[in-house]
């Protein structure tokens, strides 16, 4: 089993930056991929970014490419999502999730989920 805990959300203005953290514990070695997803009110949960175990394999949703950066610190069992140039449409609850492959971007491919952290971007 894997436990995930997100932190770092908050209320910011358009154009600001935030860094989200996802701290993992448990059998993290069994699930090498960590993804970030988000869910806005009334919308389906959507893929944001994913990173593989080494940190060299990453993938991003088109909507965040060039603005968001995913990284990981394996010594701390923590994955980060640096979010720059935030827009009101980035407002959502952000979740991190553990899975088997960094090539997968569908929610069904991720086995464990955190509770989420709220990000609100005002215009």
């Amino acid at each position: 089993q894997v436990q995930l805990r997100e932190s770092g959300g908050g209320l910011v203005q358009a154009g600001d930056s935030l860094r989200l953290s996802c701290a993992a514990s448990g059998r993290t070695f069994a699930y090498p991929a960590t993804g970030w997803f988000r869910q806005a009110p009334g919308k389906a949960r959507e893929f944001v970014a994913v990173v593989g175990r080494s940190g060299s394999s990453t993938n991003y949703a088109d909507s965040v490419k060039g603005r968001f950066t995913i990284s990981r610190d394996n010594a701390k069992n923590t994955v980060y999502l640096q979010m720059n140039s935030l827009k009101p449409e980035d407002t959502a609850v952000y979740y991190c999730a553990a899975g088997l492959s960094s090539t997968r971007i569908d929610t069904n491919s991720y086995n464990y989920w955190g509770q989420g952290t709220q990000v609100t971007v005002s215009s």
Side-chain angles (χ1 to χ4, degrees), residues 1-19:
Q1 197 166 1
V2 175
Q3 295 79 40
L4 302 168
R5 186 178 74 251
E6 304 93 339
S7 62
L11 172 62
V12 297
Q13 293 186 332
D16 285 350
S17 298
L18 273 178
R19 189 177 79 159

Side-chain angles (χ1 to χ4, degrees), residues 1-66:
Q1 197 166 1
V2 175
Q3 295 79 40
L4 302 168
R5 186 178 74 251
E6 304 93 339
S7 62
L11 172 62
V12 297
Q13 293 186 332
D16 285 350
S17 298
L18 273 178
R19 189 177 79 159
L20 305 183
S21 298
C22 172
S25 60
R27 301 180 68 245
T28 57
F29 59 88
Y31 299 91
T34 304
W36 283 98
F37 293 77
R38 66 187 182 187
Q39 188 166 19
K43 295 188 177 181
R45 193 169 297 189
E46 65 175 7
F47 168 76
V48 175
V50 63
V51 62
R53 185 189 303 281
S54 70
S56 60
S57 173
T58 59
N59 192 16
Y60 297 90
D62 288 344
S63 59
V64 307
K65 278 181 182 176

Side-chain angles (χ1 to χ4, degrees), residues 83-95:
M83 306 186 295
N84 298 331
S85 302
L86 282 161
K87 304 175 181 180
E89 51 262 44
D90 295 317
T91 295
V93 177
Y94 283 71
Y95 300 88

